[in-house]
Amino acid sequence: MILSDEQAQIRDTARRFAREKLAPGYQRREAEARVDRALIAEMGALGLIAPELPEDLGGYGMPSVTSGLIAEEIGYGDMNVAYVQILGSLNGAIIARHGAPDLAAEWVGRIVSGQSVVAIGLTEPRGGSDAANLALSARRDGDHYILKGEKSSISMADQADAVVLFARTGEASDGARGVTALLVPMDTPGVSTLRFTDLGSKAIGRSSIFFDEVRIPVASRLAAEGSGFIQVMQGFDFSRALIGLQCIGAAQASLDESWAYVQEREAFGGPIARNQGVTFPLAEGEGLIAAVRQLCLHTLALRDAGQPHTSEAAICKWLGPKTAVDVIHQCLLTHGHYGWSLDLPHQQRLRDVMGLEIGDGTAQIMKLIVSREKLRAARP
Ligand SMILES: Cc1cc2nc3c(=O)[nH]c(=O)nc-3n(C[C@H](O)[C@H](O)[C@H](O)COP(=O)(O)OP(=O)(O)OC[C@H]3O[C@@H](n4cnc5c(N)ncnc54)[C@H](O)[C@@H]3O)c2cc1C
């Protein structure tokens, strides 16, 4: 994809920031189990969080493709920090598009500037794939909703300032049509969290969020009552393309480190790079990553052009993390016994990208989406 001068400039800013500021702290952030708020504010000040959001709400009105370029660069330095970009773009778009003007004016600028982090609360203990089959209830009481129930597996829940929450306002038999989306500040009385012990992305952390008779004004609703699921879920097409780029950014970092390593490491009297058995798997990784990158950018370009891209986005979400897992695994092996050490970042990248083979929907669910779209298009 040919970039505009402005896009190349923003990509270079993100690249410098990711390589100089983020990469050296990637493993430290895992140990600290959080993303420093000053770092998030710095990214915001550089224009690296959700720049596609509307200018009148505090965004920069840039194309979605620009956000994709940033997601890959930040993913290269620290793929966990890229969660901040992706949550910002996903939730920022939902709030900007479906929130009341006052609510949008309050939150969108804070997301873009890095002052606020907003989590997304969809999954429940009973399951995530069948997302519309949720039970957390929002009972109407005058000009408030009373929330009761539990969300599970929510990224950044214990670091976030608010959560875009999907709750049931209708009957269980209403399915997706009985679901309403609300913006809930995390410091609202009755909200509490409990963090999971995870294999990866520890700087992000996943938690259950408990809602114990939580009172939320009706004005915090996103989209009309009962239409939250259907309207708001369309935003996931955007985050899925960004996740693909986040993951291949991490894989590209491991590949670049591997190309350098194979020229330094010697075996059988010379650098191991002399063996095609060493370089070809890396070359294959470059090819796979280049293909996924172009697919993700193409998907974002379709979004910018207002064209359908649900099937493409599902493919990005399925192939991005999977390709990154395969490539980083190969890079780890290329580093021999050093690769197996916790001192090198490949093992952490492998654990971190693997989480996104599940988060935001598994490969099976993405293939269900692709199949549904293709069957509809080919309906006899
Ligand atoms: C790193 C990470 C971050 C996450 N962040 C968030 C977040 O911020 N917010 C949030 O709401 N959720 C989040 N999640 C939850 C995630 O979205 C769910 O885990 C995911 O949607 C799958 O739901 P489940 O775990 O309940 O699996 P289940 O729905 O129980 O599925 C179990 C298995 O069965 C398969 N399966 C289910 N139905 C079908 C079918 N019809 N056909 C074929 N296979 C099927 C699934 O693919 C999966 O392999 C995160 C998860 C992870 C791992």
Side-chain angles (χ1 to χ4, degrees), residues 83 120-123 127-130 152-155 206 355-356 358-362 364-365 368:
Y83 272 78
I120 184 102
L122 184 59
T123 305
S129 299
D130 185 7
S152 184
S153 186
I154 309 304
S155 296
R206 290 178 311 135
L356 286 170
I358 305 168
D360 200 271
T362 62
Q364 285 95 330
I365 297 309
L368 271 178

Side-chain angles (χ1 to χ4, degrees), residues 227-256:
S227 66
F229 195 79
I230 294 145
Q231 288 190 22
V232 172
M233 284 296 280
Q234 286 162 3
F236 282 76
D237 287 346
F238 184 21
S239 57
R240 285 176 180 152
L242 296 178
I243 288 172
L245 289 159
Q246 168 191 22
C247 290
I248 62 146
Q252 187 70 63
S254 276
L255 267 178
D256 288 354

Side-chain angles (χ1 to χ4, degrees), residues 145-178:
Y145 289 106
I146 315 287
L147 307 174
K148 184 140 192 72
E150 179 184 345
K151 289 290 168 185
S152 184
S153 186
I154 309 304
S155 296
M156 292 197 94
D158 61 3
Q159 301 182 62
D161 302 285
V163 58
V164 169
L165 183 76
F166 294 83
R168 183 156 297 287
T169 39
E171 300 301 317
S173 55
D174 295 338
R177 299 198 179 278

Side-chain angles (χ1 to χ4, degrees), residues 261-280:
Y261 181 74
V262 298
Q263 294 178 72
E264 291 160 8
R265 183 71 172 170
E266 297 201 348
F268 299 99
I272 58 172
R274 286 196 313 201
N275 304 296
Q276 291 174 346
V278 170
T279 54
F280 278 16

Side-chain angles (χ1 to χ4, degrees), residues 40-114:
I40 297 177
E42 201 178 335
M43 288 194 299
L46 286 170
L48 299 179
I49 304 175
E52 74 287 348
L53 288 170
E55 284 174 281
D56 57 342
L57 294 174
Y60 300 99
M62 289 187 182
S64 329
V65 166
T66 306
S67 290
L69 298 169
I70 295 171
E72 179 177 353
E73 294 302 333
I74 301 296
Y76 187 104
D78 182 338
M79 70 145 289
N80 291 319
V81 175
Y83 272 78
V84 173
Q85 269 81 21
I86 291 164
L87 285 170
S89 285
L90 172 64
N91 291 316
I94 292 171
I95 298 166
R97 198 170 291 170
H98 302 291
D102 285 358
L103 194 75
E106 184 186 348
W107 284 93
V108 172
R110 294 221 301 251
I111 291 173
V112 173
S113 65

